[in-house]
Amino acid sequence: MSGGNAHIGNVAEYNRQFFPAQFRSDHLRSWDIEGHHYAGLALFYSADPGPVFLPLRFDRAWLDMQRSYLHWPHVSLHWTAGEPGLSDVLAADPAAVATLRAALDAPGGGRLLAWGETAGTERLRAAVSGRPTAPGGGPARGRGQAAFESKREAHRRFSKCARGRPEILITRQEVYADAQTAAAALAARATAGAGPVMLKSDFGVGGFGTRLVKPDEIPTQDDVWALLRALTDDDAIFGVVPLLVEEYIQPHPLHCQLTYDGEITDDGVIDRGTALMHVTGTHYRGATTGPGALPEPLRRPVTDFGRAVGAMLAAEGYRGWFDVDFVRARDGRLAPTEINARRTGPCVAMAIAANLGASSGRPVVVRTEDTLPLPRAIPEERLHARFETVARVLADRSVAFVPTLVTASSEKVPYAGFALAGASVAEVDTAMRHVVHLMSGLAEEGEA
């Protein structure tokens, strides 16, 4: 048995445990399915995957495309029941436990990596190691894992870490215990002629749970109630309290959505990378990492503040992957917006960059797109054929094309994900425009 890191695609499991507000019964299944699609990114949790366990099956031909660019000597794919409790399913399966144990104990074996740490991943680690977990869970959960995902708690940490850092802008945050007081506050702001605000739920993922509210949307108290009902109906805020109101930061026209990723071990905070995030509205779509993705005058303060936040999380008991997201204001200051105490989309770009950089011996720029809309729903094999054409075209331009999210092409709102790797930011940005053009041909084929 070869080694490598073991990757567990437990996205739906993590979402259920730490974003419970999203999972009202009428939306439960759709969020689980979305989590299973996103779990396909588990292949890219590190530069050297070994056994990868996923909740949704896809054709192994995708793996051939991925391995044509990525140096994956140890990877093997395994599928299990498509349900949220992926870790517990694996822990109860002697064959899965044996596969994980053999891979991690083999020469070159690494660690067991999950999207996020849950009670289930602790039980799985115990099953693989043969050592029981301490009652009540590990050190992070013993102090309340959900608090590490809380936007209220993040604001408290940011305020402390920003002391003596004039380059960091801390936005004003107000917390309302119920929708009635939040509505009254929004109405008062509109009457006073105040500017736009961000209305947020305390917990959210991928931009869900966040809504920009402009004053002209709420000129009267009655309209405030209509707005709040709409927020509940479209799941932007998930109809839960408390509600957070933060001042809106007018973003800088360049390099406006930034992130720092790190990992906390018992030895301290390890830098894992910085990236420019690509966001539509409030929803994350992808990221660019590597040389030039962030200018050095931005990369340094993003990294320094991210490390400071990581040190605070470590002192509070958190262990594992985390990120700090920022908005760059028009005056150039950096406004931290949230902490994600888990893996997030940019870690995929960072893992691919680390893999290609190690195999080529030179730094690589990687840009990811997680949710490229498809003009129509198509079978997986059609998507594969189209992606093969795209990969050949880009190879002539010395750009690597790596499929990442490939199971949602037949959904009612179909999409696909991929990564581009090249020598410069300009190169991958140009390639991205070319991919969008090539994929638009699906619409023309459908009309023919």
Side-chain angles (χ1 to χ4, degrees), residues 47 69-71 351-362 364 366 400 402 421-422:
Y69 289 105
L70 301 175
H71 180 64
I352 293 173
N355 179 290
L356 294 175
S359 60
S360 68
R362 61 180 183 275
V364 177
V366 174
V402 181

Side-chain angles (χ1 to χ4, degrees), residues 44 54 74 91 112 137 184 189 245 268 285 300 408 424 442:
F44 309 94
L54 301 174
H74 305 121
L112 193 157
R189 286 185 60 88
V245 175
R285 291 194 55 176
R300 285 196 304 270
S424 69
L442 285 169

